Structure formats: C-alpha cells, structure tokens
Amino acid sequence: MDVLRITFLRIVYSALLLAAVVVLNFVMIHLAPGDVADTIAQSMGGADAEILAQIRADYGLDQPFIVQLGQYIWKVLHFDLGSSYYYNRPVTELILERLPATLLLVITAQTLALVIGVVTGVFSARRPNGFLSHLVTIVAFFGHAAPVFWTGILLLIAFSLQIHWFPVGGMRDVTVTGGFWAHSFDVARHMVLPVFTLSTTFLALYSRLCRASMMETLGSDYVRTAKAKGLPMRSVVYKHALKNALSPVITLAGLQFSAVISGAVLVETVFSWPGLGTLAFQVIVARDTPTILGILFFSALIVIAGNLLTDLVQRLVDPRVRTGQ
Amino acid sequence: MSFLLKVENLRIELRMRAGVAPVIDDLSFELAHGESISFVGESGCGKSMTALAIMGLLPEGIGRVASGKIWFDGEDLVAASPARLRHIRGNKIGMIFQEPMTSLNPVYSVGEQIAEVLREHQGLSRKAAWAEAIELLDAVRIPNPETRATAYPFEMSGGQRQRVMIAIALACKPKILIADEPTTALDVTVQAQIFDLLRDLRRQTGTSLIMITHDMGAVAEMAERMIVMYAGRKAEEGPVDKVIAHARHPYTQGLISCVPHLVAHLTEERQDLNEVPGIVPGLAEFGQGRCLFASRCARATERCLTTRPEEIAFSDVHRSACWHAEGM
C-alpha cells in the first residue's frame, strides 16, 4: 500500500531526525557553563577542588567530551536515558511518571483550541461583518498578545482566589474518595484553568486562520457550483467549503504543536501541574543533565509524532497531497 | 403559445460604493420548450447576471432583483422562497460555468459530485446514485466511467472536467440548461467536442438551452435565436440566421464584423478585420436615459444622446433597440 510505504519512510526520517536532536542537545548542554558538581557542592555548603574532582569522577564528567557523547548515544540506543543526579532514579521512570499529565494537558488544550477555533472561524466567515466575527477578532488579538503565565495568574486570582470555583493548583485533591468517576471529575476540575490558559493563545490563531480560509473557499467557484446544484446551505458550508478550508488549519496545528508543548512548561509551572514542564523547570535549576536531556528527547519524540500524525490527517482530507500535486 | 421561461421587465441592481447601478435594465425575453437561445455581448454587459438571476444566485448582499418577473413553468422565481429555489436549482434548471478548472470541488471524487445531486433531488440511495453517476459519465463520453468516477478533478483535463460539469447539470434531466461561456477556457478542438456533446444531449433530452457567449461562431452553431446585450440592455433580438444576415443594430454589426473569415487561397484579397472601437461604459453610466452605445457608434446623432431608443419590431421575431435601425 502506498500509504504504508510513505508512513514507513516518514518513520525512518523521523528516527534520523531524533538522532540529530539527541546529539545537538548533548552538545548544547555541554556548552553551557557549570555542571552538577557545582550544584552538589552548593547544597553541601561549599566544597574544595579535591571533592569537586571526586564528584566529577563519580559521574564520569572528567572524561573527554567525545567519550561522554559516545557513551550517551550508546545508552540511548539501548533505551537507557541514564539516572537522575537530583532524584537518584532512572530518568525514563521519572519521565514516564510525569508524561501522562503533560499529554493530558497538551492534547486536551490542542483539541479544544482546534474545535472552538474552527467553529468560531466558520461562523464568523459566514457573516464577516457580524457581531461574532468582530468578537472573535478582538478575543483573538487579546489571546495571542497575552503571555500564558500572565493569563494564567489572572485566571487564578479571579476564579480560584476570589470566587473559589476551581482549585489553585495541582492535578488531584488527596481528600477526594470514591471510584473512577469521582477521580475523573476531580482531575477535570483541576484541568479547567490550565487547559483554558494554554488553549486561548492557539485558539486565537486557529480561529483567525479558519475564518480567512473559509471566506476564501466560500467565494470559490466550486461553492457556487454547490449552490447551483440546489444543495442545502448546511451541505454547501460544511461539506464543500469547510473540507477545503481545513487544509491550512491542519498544517498550522501541526506546526504549532511544538509551541503548545513549550507553552505547557509555563502553564504547568503557574498551576503546579505535575507534568514534564514542572519537572523540566526543577531539573534545569538543579543542572541535572541526564534528566534535562531525557525531557528534551521525549519532547522531540512527541513533536515528531505530532507532525507525522498531521501529515496523515492532511492526506485524508486533501486527495491532492496523496499524489504530491 | 406557452413559454417555459418568460422574463418580464427584469431590473437587477448592484450595490456599489458610488451608489446603485442597474446591471440589467428592463430586460424581457421568452424561451419556448426545447428552444435554444444565446446571449451575446462583451464582458460586463450583464449576460451572466441574467443567468444568475434565473438561478436565484445573485451575489448576496450586493445584487438584487429590483423589479420584474421571471416566470418559469407558471411560477414567479423572483417571489419564490429560498427552499423552493433550491428545489428548482440543479433539478429543473441546471447550469454549467465558464471555468471547468475551478468549478469542481478538488477534495471529492467526480462520481461523488454527480451522485450528490441525484441523492438531493431524486432521493436515490447511495448505491443507486453512484450507478447513475457512472451512466452519466458514460453519456458525456468519458472513457472507462467506472474507474473514472473515483478520480478527483485534478486528475482530469479541462475538457473532461467540463464534461463532468455537464453531467452534473443534466443529472436530474432539467427543463433548462444554462451554459455560461462553457468553452471559453478550453482549446479549440475541445470546444468543438463540447458543442457536439451539448447538441447530442439536447436532442436526446429535449432540454431548452440558454447559452451565454461572446463567440459568434458558437452562436451560429448552437442557437436558434439570439439576444444581443449591451450595457445591461437588450440591443437586438431575433433568429440567428436573420440577425447574422441582416443585423439591425450597429453593435451587432460590429460584433459580426469582428469574426475573422478564412480564405481558401492566400492570394485572395482578405477583408480587414474590424473591431468595435472603445469599451463598454462603466457601471456608473448604466441606466442613463440615452443610447449607451452612442459613444462608440458611427451613426450616433443628437437624438441618440438624449433619448433611450425604443424597441422596433421588423417582423414578429426580429427586434432592435436603435433609432437608426430602419435605415440599416
């Protein structure tokens, strides 16, 4: 099958890309001044050069750079991301523990942004001078201009501190008892503000793009043909215009996926969401190199998987992509 | 005699920044069952607007029927509800457009685009509509219709796409087929094929045809009667052979003399190829109480500049709106 062959090729390219990312990350972390020995010495309240050298020898930091790189790549190839200096646990274990929380946040925010963005985009395209259209434009500019940590903190003050609708932070309330549904509801309640904060920025982008793209397709010759066929308005708009208008939105969503993940770092920190973002923040401050590299590796993996998915969806929506025309 | 379509004193206004312009000004004509008429004129004369008005597809918020009636099968389409118009569009009146390259939806197979109209108007099931779509592709002479039905528009040539458009327009066996410059975007050999196809299908189905064109050759080939439009008004109307043999309007004469004639031997003296000097007036000038062609006309006199010409009949069927028609 053609689709399978191309998917396979894409996966091969993705693996090569991932290898490049691993090497680049390692080089960049190595270039940054300071290492874990400094942090450990600091937490001990200072240490002399001899103890520092001892710590470096313990962690293999005294080896030449190229040897360290070689050892790291060898380990990654065996799915071993090393062990955290700071938590004293295997990095993979640490990350896999945090990953579901981040994925839950990122995927919910991205889906919500896409769905609401497309719906408001379509409605405002049908009445480009209507109330909703202007509202979308204003909210879009606001949402895109406001940094996520600022929006997040304002929402916290308004909805958690003033009117107590939502919890201040975290993902679960330890006092909640009950079955699966009670816990799901608890997590959902904790998710509302972070998801809203994270999706606002992207919602604005998708909505504006979808509006512009819909306005173009609604004025196209094939939409006129659809009307001349006597099709109902719902079919003209959703079947004939929207499917064509979605193409640029899907492309953008794929490109923005990495931005959503980096936005998640800030949002997680603001709402103390127990995901990769808060972990990244902690280990960067602690100069925990193996964990930082591990998080970067997993982020790259998620972004690459997201792009692969975008490609496949794009091919489903637009037959012209299938033959490269 | 009863008419299938009768347009009475139609006035279509376009809203523009400078005000309202009548793109169609007091147009009346009739179309009999099975008849074929052709609208002729330069770009911007209101030919396409007439077609869109009949379809109820004037550009929303910009164009509207200001006055007049469009009688179709005893029903006034101007007063018809949107739902009623939707029932007529694509079902009783089919339309093909100028640009086959962009008139089909790029993301659906051509079979689906034909089957869709059958499901909508004839209530066919998915399977029956698809089978009928293949029949239609065969009828418009697309080879291997079963496999081509699954093809997407970008996999077809311009001529094939226009055949698909014809299949869509004729799917529900409409009483009228409107063809808005159906061959303008196609090359000459394909044009001839499309005309052949339209003629054959018309013979089989008895559909009336309204063809919009600026190609006099196409008129002579396809139509029984022609209406020459100029600046939103009817300039001349009559049977094609009569009008071409003896045009009673200087604009029609100009259009006819624009057509190049082939000569058998290169040694023969060739006639000069004429043009109609000047351009169609801007929309702002439409609707003025004078002959709008006067600025381009060699025969123009004082009267042409002050009074709008009335229609003069030369026989029951041949009419011209020119003050000098009788002297031509």
Side-chain angles (χ1 to χ4, degrees):
Chain A
M1 262 294 281
D2 186 47
V3 179
L4 286 177
R5 195 177 58 87
I6 287 177
T7 312
F8 176 74
L9 271 180
R10 287 299 311 256
I11 291 173
V12 171
Y13 291 148
S14 302
L16 289 175
L17 186 63
L18 201 59
V21 167
V22 167
V23 173
L24 206 65
N25 284 341
F26 193 84
V27 171
M28 285 204 297
I29 294 290
H30 199 82
L31 286 178
D35 59 18
V36 72
D38 295 329
T39 319
I40 294 173
Q42 228 170 46
S43 62
M44 296 194 311
D48 56 17
E50 201 181 319
I51 296 175
L52 277 179
Q54 181 60 45
I55 297 170
R56 291 208 171 94
D58 284 350
Y59 288 106
L61 296 174
D62 55 346
Q63 310 255 9
F65 167 71
I66 200 77
V67 176
Q68 288 186 42
L69 177 63
Q71 282 173 345
Y72 184 69
I73 291 173
W74 183 249
K75 283 203 297 188
V76 170
L77 280 178
H78 293 84
F79 303 103
D80 177 9
L81 292 174
S83 166
S84 164
Y85 303 151
Y86 185 75
Y87 289 96
N88 264 324
R89 290 173 61 195
V91 169
T92 320
E93 194 185 297
L94 206 55
I95 289 174
L96 287 181
E97 195 178 282
R98 303 284 196 119
L99 192 62
T102 294
L103 284 182
L104 181 67
L105 181 67
V106 164
I107 289 173
T108 316
Q110 173 83 327
T111 310
L112 198 73
L114 260 176
V115 170
I116 298 181
V118 167
V119 170
T120 54
V122 168
F123 273 93
S124 54
R126 290 185 66 184
R127 293 174 184 278
N129 288 313
F131 170 75
L132 184 75
S133 182
H134 290 303
L135 186 74
V136 165
T137 308
I138 293 168
V139 172
F141 275 118
F142 186 80
H144 197 52
V148 279
F149 53 85
W150 185 77
T151 324
I153 289 169
L154 281 194
L155 287 172
L156 264 183
I157 293 172
F159 291 100
S160 299
L161 298 180
Q162 298 295 325
I163 53 177
H164 306 291
W165 281 5
F166 300 110
V168 183
M171 184 168 160
R172 292 165 194 279
D173 191 335
V174 284
T175 61
V176 169
T177 52
F180 173 77
W181 291 111
H183 282 288
S184 298
F185 178 75
D186 180 44
V187 171
R189 234 167 61 87
H190 281 82
M191 268 174 76
V192 173
L193 289 184
V195 164
F196 185 83
T197 309
L198 187 56
S199 54
T200 326
T201 320
F202 303 98
L203 188 154
L205 270 182
Y206 300 148
S207 175
R208 288 291 295 176
L209 184 70
C210 185
R211 176 176 181 266
S213 173
M214 259 317 261
M215 280 170 75
E216 194 186 311
T217 51
L218 280 176
S220 69
D221 287 350
Y222 53 80
V223 165
R224 185 185 56 186
T225 305
K227 288 181 190 161
K229 283 172 165 181
L231 300 178
M233 216 46 207
R234 133 184 71 81
S235 168
V236 171
V237 172
Y238 294 101
K239 181 174 175 186
H240 286 274
L242 182 60
K243 198 173 173 192
N244 280 282
L246 275 183
S247 230
V249 180
I250 293 167
T251 308
L252 183 75
L255 290 173
Q256 285 297 321
F257 194 60
S258 53
V260 179
I261 290 177
S262 52
V265 175
L266 292 171
V267 171
E268 284 182 11
T269 308
V270 170
F271 292 96
S272 31
W273 187 260
L276 279 184
T278 36
L279 181 68
F281 186 73
Q282 286 160 1
V283 296
I284 286 172
V285 172
R287 295 185 196 285
D288 183 355
T289 318
T291 317
I292 298 173
L293 285 175
I295 291 172
L296 291 177
F297 176 80
F298 268 89
S299 311
L301 204 63
I302 297 171
V303 170
I304 287 170
N307 281 334
L308 192 62
L309 190 72
T310 311
D311 256 32
L312 295 177
V313 173
Q314 190 74 277
R315 297 163 64 82
L316 270 182
V317 171
D318 192 341
R320 284 168 297 185
V321 180
R322 281 172 222 164
T323 48
Q325 289 210 13
Chain B
M1 169 171 191
S2 79
F3 291 101
L4 179 59
L5 183 78
K6 187 177 168 83
V7 172
E8 286 177 349
N9 309 100
L10 184 68
R11 182 182 169 92
I12 300 172
E13 289 178 349
L14 275 198
R15 212 176 60 199
M16 301 190 309
R17 217 171 296 164
V20 168
V23 277
I24 294 294
D25 192 359
D26 198 19
L27 174 71
S28 301
F29 71 94
E30 293 105 20
L31 176 70
H33 288 274
E35 196 190 16
S36 162
I37 63 169
S38 190
F39 278 83
V40 193
E42 283 162 283
S43 305
C45 284
K47 297 166 296 175
S48 295
M49 281 296 160
T50 311
L52 291 177
I54 296 169
M55 295 291 280
L57 286 177
L58 287 173
E60 259 173 79
I62 303 167
R64 66 182 192 99
V65 174
S67 61
K69 293 195 184 319
I70 301 173
W71 295 103
F72 170 70
D73 240 1
E75 182 180 1
D76 182 11
L77 297 185
V78 174
S81 70
R84 181 70 195 146
L85 279 176
R86 216 165 49 226
H87 175 72
I88 291 171
R89 279 204 291 270
N91 188 17
K92 305 267 171 71
I93 307 178
M95 183 160 179
I96 26 182
F97 298 97
Q98 187 174 352
E99 272 297 336
M101 303 312 276
T102 53
S103 291
L104 290 169
N105 195 326
V107 300
Y108 292 103
S109 68
V110 295
E112 163 61 20
Q113 296 189 51
I114 302 171
E116 176 184 45
V117 75
L118 292 162
R119 294 201 303 265
E120 177 67 30
H121 293 299
Q122 311 209 324
L124 294 190
S125 68
R126 265 184 188 274
K127 214 173 147 194
W130 185 262
E132 179 68 24
I134 290 171
E135 288 289 309
L136 282 159
L137 283 175
D138 192 43
V140 296
R141 296 176 205 153
I142 287 193
N144 305 322
E146 290 91 355
T147 43
R148 292 307 269 164
T150 58
Y152 289 91
F154 70 90
E155 295 166 324
M156 291 186 151
S157 69
Q160 282 187 315
R161 292 187 205 188
Q162 196 62 298
R163 286 166 193 268
V164 172
M165 282 299 291
I166 294 171
I168 291 172
L170 292 178
C172 299
K173 304 192 173 50
K175 294 184 172 170
I176 303 176
L177 175 66
I178 303 176
D180 187 355
E181 309 208 22
T183 58
T184 308
L186 304 173
D187 68 53
V188 182
T189 49
V190 180
Q191 279 185 19
Q193 292 168 9
I194 295 286
F195 282 143
D196 277 347
L197 174 66
L198 280 174
R199 239 195 326 260
D200 288 354
L201 290 174
R202 238 167 57 69
R203 232 193 332 259
Q204 288 160 20
T205 59
T207 303
S208 298
L209 177 72
I210 298 178
M211 195 175 72
I212 293 166
T213 181
H214 47 238
D215 176 0
M216 279 294 189
V219 176
E221 205 172 334
M222 294 296 295
E224 290 145 22
R225 226 146 47 80
M226 64 191 276
I227 295 173
V228 181
M229 297 284 292
Y230 188 77
R233 296 173 185 176
K234 184 162 71 181
E236 186 166 1
E237 174 184 0
V240 171
D241 48 351
K242 272 196 177 160
V243 173
I244 289 181
H246 189 178
R248 293 283 194 169
H249 194 289
Y251 181 57
T252 318
Q253 289 184 337
L255 285 178
I256 293 169
S257 69
C258 288
V259 180
H261 295 274
L262 288 177
V263 290
H265 304 285
L266 282 175
T267 48
E268 272 179 63
E269 197 186 328
R270 277 198 249 192
Q271 290 178 310
D272 286 342
L273 190 56
N274 293 310
E275 55 170 328
V276 185
I279 54 162
V280 182
L283 278 176
E285 289 175 51
F286 277 44
Q288 290 175 351
R290 61 180 176 91
C291 176
L292 293 172
F293 186 64
S295 58
R296 302 170 72 182
C297 180
R299 295 168 194 261
T301 53
E302 189 59 32
R303 194 185 186 190
C304 304
L305 296 171
T306 52
T307 324
R308 178 174 172 172
E310 285 158 19
E311 256 184 30
I312 304 163
F314 291 92
S315 59
D316 279 351
V317 289
H318 191 178
R319 283 186 288 271
S320 165
C322 173
W323 290 123
H324 305 285
E326 273 165 58
M328 281 190 280

